[in-house]
Amino acid sequence: MTELPIDFNPSLWRRLTRAYGKLLEILLAACVGILVIPVTLQIISRYTPFIPSYIWTEEMARFLFIWTIMIGAMVGVREAQHFEVDVWPDLSRRSEALVRILARLGILALALVFVWAGIEFTRFAWNRTSELADLPLWLIHVAWPVAGFTWIAFAGEQIVDETRILMGTER
C-alpha cells in the first residue's frame, strides 16, 4: 500500500485535492446509505401486499449504484487502494517509485479514455430521459468523465510524489 506523504505546509493544490477527496468519501457514504432505501422498498414490495410495487425504485437504485461504483473508484485512486501485486518484493525505494510511476501512468491512460469516451457518452445522453422516472440520463453518464478527470488529478499528484522519491528530492 502506498502511503500518502505527510506535508505540514501543503500547497493550495494539495489542500484542494485533500478537500475533494474528503467530499468524495462523504458522497460515497451518502450514496451507499441512500441506496439501501430503494432496494429495501423493492424487496419488501415483492413479498408483501402492504407496500405497492414502486417502479421508480429500480431506476433510482441503478443511478445510485453506478455513482457509488464510480465514486468508490475515485476514492480508491486517491488512497492508492487499488489492487497491487508484489512481483518484485525486494526493491529499493527508488526502484519501487519507478514501478509505481509506471502503474500510475496506466491509470492516467485509462483516465484519458474515460474522459474522452465519457464526454461522448454524456453528449449522447444529453437530451434523453429515463423511461420510468423521466430523469435526465446525463446525470448518470457524466459519472465517467468526472471519474476520469478525478483520476488524472489524483494520479498526477501521486506521480509527482513518486518522481520526488525517484530523483532523491523527497521532502
Side-chain angles (χ1 to χ4, degrees):
M1 179 174 98
T2 302
E3 301 225 1
L4 296 174
I6 298 172
D7 193 357
F8 295 107
N9 190 14
S11 66
L12 176 62
W13 175 254
R14 297 270 179 177
R15 288 192 306 252
L16 287 174
T17 57
R18 187 178 301 142
Y20 182 51
K22 188 53 85 177
L23 173 67
L24 288 173
E25 290 173 10
I26 292 167
L27 288 174
L28 181 60
C31 281
V32 170
I34 296 170
L35 182 61
V36 170
I37 296 167
V39 172
T40 302
L41 283 173
Q42 286 175 1
I43 293 169
I44 293 173
S45 70
R46 286 183 196 147
Y47 297 108
T48 62
F50 307 115
I51 297 177
S53 182
Y54 298 114
I55 295 176
W56 61 268
T57 57
E58 189 274 330
E59 278 189 356
M60 183 176 190
R62 188 177 343 135
F63 276 51
L64 285 168
F65 186 64
I66 288 173
W67 271 104
T68 300
I69 290 168
M70 300 308 274
I71 294 171
M74 293 180 233
V75 170
V77 170
R78 167 76 178 148
E79 296 179 357
Q81 293 292 318
H82 45 277
F83 183 67
E84 276 187 17
V85 177
D86 288 336
V87 179
W88 301 289
D90 297 326
L91 293 176
S92 69
R93 189 168 163 98
R94 284 185 172 175
S95 298
E96 189 175 320
L98 179 62
V99 170
R100 286 192 175 138
I101 288 172
L102 293 174
R104 304 286 193 292
L105 289 175
I107 291 171
L108 284 178
L110 186 62
L112 290 173
V113 170
F114 266 59
V115 168
W116 177 76
I119 289 171
E120 292 300 315
F121 193 45
T122 304
R123 190 176 296 148
F124 170 74
W126 194 256
N127 293 319
R128 297 175 57 214
T129 58
S130 64
E131 295 174 13
L132 302 175
D134 204 33
L135 296 169
L137 286 178
W138 68 266
L139 287 174
I140 196 170
H141 291 201
V142 77
W144 277 263
V146 168
F149 282 120
T150 301
W151 293 344
I152 289 169
F154 292 158
E157 185 177 63
Q158 293 165 354
I159 287 173
V160 168
D161 293 340
E162 299 295 340
T163 303
R164 285 183 182 148
I165 293 171
L166 191 62
M167 299 299 179
T169 59
E170 179 187 303
R171 289 189 247 176

